[in-house]
Amino acid sequence: MAFRKRNVGISRSISESDSVSSPLTTPSASLASLPGVRPSPIDGRPTTSTGTPSLDAILAGHAGLALGSSILIEESGTTDFAGALLRYYAAEGIVQGHTVHVVGVGEQWGRELPGLVGVSGSGTDDDRPGREKKEKMKIAWRYERLGNFGSGISGSRGTTAATERAQPVAEASTEMASSSEAAFCHIFDLTKRLNFPTGTSVNFIPVPLQSVSSSPLLSILQNLSKSLSSNPTSMIHRLVIPTLLSPALYPMTASQPQCLLQFLHSLRSLLRQYPTQLTALITLPLELYPRSSGLVRWMEILSDGVLELTPFPHLGDALVTSGAATTQEEQPQGMLKIHRLPVFHEKGGGGGGSSGLGEDLAFTVSRRKFVIKPFSLPPVEGDTEAQQGLGEGGKQTKVDIDF
């Protein structure tokens, strides 16, 4: 009869397969050392910036786009505001040294990427990174890391307690570090053109108008899969797909469900196969493919995040003066609707604590930048006293005090 001591665990030898960690269990510290990647404040998963600080602030509280996820940006009307987000996304990847894959468009699209702010060193007001460096707060060292209060989407009036708690996270994503290696999200100017670093190349993937295979989108997956398998695991890849299914870029057979859904299923499989290397941003024109169709609904299901840009009608531009707290602020061009955000675990991915969620969001595309901020109604027509108060920078007038 065999006996053994109590409270002694049975040990087993560690096999070689146990010592090798899977991509999902890769320590975030090693991934955080990569350029343009840092751990999420929610659960520590590696995230990268979309190039738009206000968009990073609403992505489920991760203060960036988590690696291994995709976002579908839908846009109604004949405008191309979503194209500005794609250019920011591609420009951020090039500056960080990531591999950028662009589908369907030529090299001319890459020559129109926005340039960095403050690179020329002209000393103008646009050199905000250099100016912010000189204007660091010297009162308390812990406030210095918060950046400029109010630059996020919830940095205006009506900030709730939840947004105040999420504000340091959102502001941390927009903070410009003194060195380019520590910068997570750069500031770009749409009026400038990006100077590609030496040795940088963008992979432009063409779409065959007449494909011999059953699906014309199959060549996109083959090109992307070959690049992912041939490059080292430390390389981050960004997939950019402008105006998916546009008749000017894609053949008619690409819009068939057996071709499109197979492509999105395979892309989702690549995102799960390379969860620490690949992200994707896709735009879709709703004028050609409305959300009421079953094909678009399946596209939304196969995407990790779904956003919709709804520009204001041209006839109402003169009447729409909302979204700006004062007359000095730029007026928004449309509304942003959040249909779905990337959720990665049973706790919801931090979506409930994201800044801006539950509020009406508007987007503003100026000559230089793309900003997402809360939407507010203007003063009632005929209320001249309120309009005069806004015209004076939002200060209280004597009439307001008496009232």
Side-chain angles (χ1 to χ4, degrees):
M1 187 173 182
F3 296 93
R4 68 179 179 87
K5 296 181 179 180
R6 292 184 179 182
N7 301 328
V8 177
I10 300 176
S11 62
R12 67 181 182 91
S13 61
I14 301 176
S15 61
E16 183 179 358
S17 59
D18 295 337
S19 60
V20 179
S21 61
S22 62
L24 292 176
T25 59
T26 304
S28 59
S30 61
L31 292 172
S33 62
L34 300 177
V37 178
R38 70 179 182 188
S40 166
I42 298 296
D43 54 6
R45 81 176 54 246
T47 61
T48 187
S49 175
T50 61
T52 307
S54 54
L55 179 59
D56 292 343
I58 65 176
L59 291 180
H62 294 287
L65 178 61
L67 298 182
S69 59
S70 63
I71 294 182
L72 177 65
I73 304 177
E74 304 170 341
E75 183 174 355
S76 57
T78 57
T79 56
D80 190 24
F81 293 120
L85 292 176
L86 291 184
R87 288 182 171 86
Y88 280 128
Y89 175 71
E92 181 67 32
I94 292 175
V95 172
Q96 298 287 4
H98 301 169
T99 300
V100 179
H101 308 270
V102 184
V103 177
V105 295
E107 296 182 0
Q108 181 61 32
W109 190 89
R111 298 191 188 100
E112 297 176 355
L113 295 181
L116 285 170
V117 172
V119 172
S120 59
S122 58
T124 59
D125 292 338
D126 294 335
D127 295 335
R128 286 182 291 178
R131 187 179 60 183
E132 291 177 1
K133 183 178 179 181
K134 297 178 182 179
E135 296 179 356
K136 288 183 178 180
M137 291 182 290
K138 300 180 181 179
I139 301 175
W141 62 270
R142 63 179 300 180
Y143 295 153
E144 188 175 354
R145 297 180 299 172
L146 302 181
N148 292 333
F149 180 81
S151 61
I153 62 171
S154 57
S156 60
R157 48 197 171 84
T159 305
T160 59
T163 44
E164 288 178 358
R165 290 192 299 267
Q167 188 68 26
V169 177
E171 296 300 332
S173 65
T174 64
E175 183 183 6
M176 298 298 299
S178 58
S179 61
S180 59
E181 295 134 12
F184 177 74
C185 180
H186 295 80
I187 304 299
F188 296 95
D189 190 344
L190 291 174
T191 60
K192 299 181 180 180
R193 292 296 170 257
L194 181 66
N195 295 325
F196 284 51
T198 305
T200 303
S201 61
V202 180
N203 181 21
F204 293 96
I205 305 177
V207 178
L209 297 180
Q210 294 180 355
S211 178
V212 180
S213 61
S214 58
S215 174
L217 304 177
L218 183 61
S219 61
I220 303 174
L221 297 171
Q222 293 175 349
N223 193 317
L224 181 61
S225 178
K226 181 180 179 180
S227 179
L228 287 169
S229 59
S230 59
N231 285 302
T233 56
S234 59
M235 177 61 68
I236 307 299
H237 297 257
R238 296 184 177 222
L239 179 63
V240 182
I241 305 181
T243 58
L244 181 62
L245 301 181
S246 173
L249 303 176
Y250 296 86
M252 295 299 296
T253 56
S255 60
Q256 297 179 1
Q258 61 268 24
C259 296
L260 179 62
L261 298 184
Q262 180 185 9
F263 168 74
L264 293 178
H265 269 289
S266 301
L267 177 59
R268 189 180 181 90
S269 176
L270 285 177
L271 290 168
R272 301 303 182 262
Q273 186 179 354
Y274 300 94
T276 59
Q277 295 180 248
L278 179 62
T279 57
L281 221 64
I282 307 172
T283 60
L284 177 70
L286 292 182
E287 289 297 316
L288 301 178
Y289 304 94
R291 294 190 69 237
S292 58
S293 62
L295 182 64
V296 176
R297 298 297 292 175
W298 272 108
M299 293 176 63
E300 294 180 352
I301 293 175
L302 295 175
S303 302
D304 296 313
V306 180
L307 306 177
E308 181 183 355
L309 301 180
T310 306
F312 293 132
H314 295 289
L315 296 179
D317 287 346
L319 300 177
V320 176
T321 58
S322 56
T326 63
T327 55
Q328 287 79 15
E329 295 184 10
E330 297 177 352
Q331 299 178 3
Q333 276 79 30
M335 301 293 295
L336 173 69
K337 300 179 182 179
I338 301 177
H339 297 298
R340 187 178 181 183
L341 286 177
V343 176
F344 301 99
H345 48 74
E346 65 277 3
K347 293 182 180 180
S354 302
S355 60
L357 292 183
E359 300 181 1
D360 294 330
L361 300 178
F363 64 91
T364 302
V365 184
S366 61
R367 294 178 61 251
R368 299 181 181 274
K369 58 185 178 179
F370 190 109
V371 178
I372 300 172
K373 58 184 180 180
F375 180 82
S376 58
L377 293 175
V380 180
E381 185 177 359
D383 191 356
T384 57
E385 297 176 356
Q387 294 176 354
Q388 289 175 359
L390 290 177
E392 297 175 0
K395 299 180 180 179
Q396 288 184 339
T397 61
K398 184 176 183 300
V399 179
D400 299 328
I401 298 176
D402 293 340
F403 177 77

